[in-house]
Amino acid sequence: MSSSIVIIPTYNEIENVEAIIRAVFVLQKEFHVLIVDDNSPDKTGDCVRGLQQEFKGRLFLETRLEKSGLGTAYIHGFKWAIAKRYDYIFEMDADFSHTPSDLLRLLKACENGADLAVGSRYKKGVNVVNWPLYRVLLSYGASVYVKLITGMRVDDPTAGFVCYKRKVLEAIDLDSVRFVGYAFQIEMKFRAYLKHFKIEEVSIIFRDRVLGKSKMSSSIISEAIWGVFVMKMRSLFLKNKF
């Protein structure tokens, strides 16, 4: 039984899913992988099912009925991993924007005392490859905005490459998490911050996907901009909700 599980949410990732799974399983440290697939029309789930016999006891699949948002996919995976008693629970994208070998660095940070390790694009300058300038400015600007509103000293609060110790996720009321898009990443870090867990950033290089299509949309951006302000107000006036 591995102590570490990597949760990878998927929707139409048939071009990436087998390669990302194999990239995790060749690492020197043993990780398990949980794919949370939103019933992808491109048969991503079928590809994972076909690999489960090869990686029996290491590769798991949870299939949801429809596309329901990144946040709810991770919440589903978190609850599954907590029930299975994994000590270290990771978030990672399927599209190789996160380098699988960096899982080892995030794990080391948590083993050395961090409660939450964040793969950060902005800890040491701007480490983003193949993004157009407007996306870099949007992402970096969002990070500055989040720090200003929330008070968190996290340089990359929207990062989706994260290692949690199980106790962090157990301490957060997962059913009360409101965001479902990329702002979900902000909310999870903010809730951990309010509970005084130690958050450490590990500098990584983020590369834009080569295969498949981005899930970014205007509604996701709107949620991040307006939702963060509302979240901060709720944390002040409805402290029992956090």
Side-chain angles (χ1 to χ4, degrees):
M1 175 69 181
S2 173
S3 62
S4 303
I5 182 106
V6 183
I7 301 172
I8 305 176
T10 56
Y11 184 76
N12 286 348
E13 291 288 357
I14 191 65
E15 297 163 299
N16 294 304
V17 70
E18 179 173 354
I20 198 72
I21 288 168
R22 292 188 181 279
V24 173
F25 286 153
V26 298
L27 297 175
Q28 293 182 343
K29 170 75 177 180
E30 182 179 352
F31 293 89
H32 289 179
V33 173
L34 170 64
I35 303 294
V36 181
D37 184 64
D38 280 358
N39 201 19
S40 299
D42 71 354
K43 307 299 183 183
T44 296
D46 288 346
C47 177
V48 176
R49 273 185 284 273
L51 293 168
Q52 282 187 296
Q53 190 60 38
E54 179 179 351
F55 300 112
K56 195 170 183 179
R58 298 179 66 191
L59 175 60
F60 306 95
L61 173 66
E62 289 284 291
T63 303
R64 305 197 302 167
L65 293 178
E66 60 186 3
K67 191 172 186 291
S68 303
L70 180 76
T72 59
Y74 273 127
I75 294 295
H76 184 104
F78 291 160
K79 290 180 177 180
W80 187 96
I82 290 169
K84 301 294 184 182
R85 306 297 294 172
Y86 286 94
D87 294 323
Y88 302 99
I89 301 170
F90 294 77
E91 301 178 356
M92 189 172 75
D93 290 347
D95 61 7
F96 284 94
S97 55
H98 304 138
T99 303
S101 60
D102 284 335
L103 289 166
L104 298 169
R105 298 171 62 223
L106 295 181
L107 177 60
K108 184 177 180 180
C110 282
E111 288 178 333
N112 288 343
D115 298 311
L116 172 61
V118 178
S120 177
R121 297 163 289 187
Y122 307 127
K123 180 177 173 63
K124 297 179 179 179
V126 178
N127 293 309
V128 177
V129 177
N130 293 334
W131 260 10
L133 180 60
Y134 82 89
R135 281 203 68 178
V136 175
L137 293 175
L138 180 65
S139 175
Y140 187 78
S143 299
V144 173
Y145 171 75
V146 170
K147 285 198 290 184
L148 179 65
I149 296 295
T150 65
M152 285 194 298
R153 299 297 90 190
V154 177
D155 291 316
D156 194 358
T158 64
F161 194 24
V162 182
C163 176
Y164 294 92
K165 285 183 176 175
R166 186 178 71 239
K167 68 178 183 180
V168 177
L169 297 177
E170 288 175 331
I172 293 172
D173 181 1
L174 296 175
D175 291 327
S176 71
V177 174
R178 296 168 65 97
F179 292 141
V180 298
Y182 286 88
F184 164 82
Q185 304 293 0
I186 301 168
E187 183 173 359
M188 288 297 296
K189 295 176 186 67
F190 186 55
R191 287 175 177 270
Y193 164 78
L194 291 178
K195 291 183 178 295
H196 306 290
F197 286 112
K198 182 180 179 182
I199 302 174
E200 181 175 329
E201 291 185 87
V202 176
S203 183
I204 65 163
I205 296 175
F206 178 95
R207 295 174 174 83
D208 195 17
R209 67 163 63 235
V210 174
L211 301 174
K213 294 182 179 180
S214 171
K215 312 304 189 296
M216 182 64 72
S217 69
S218 59
S219 62
I220 288 172
I221 295 170
S222 177
E223 178 190 58
I225 293 172
W226 301 111
V228 167
F229 180 76
V230 173
M231 178 186 71
K232 175 63 175 181
M233 293 300 101
R234 290 180 67 245
S235 74
L236 294 174
F237 296 106
L238 299 170
K239 292 184 179 181
N240 61 317
K241 299 292 185 181
F242 282 81

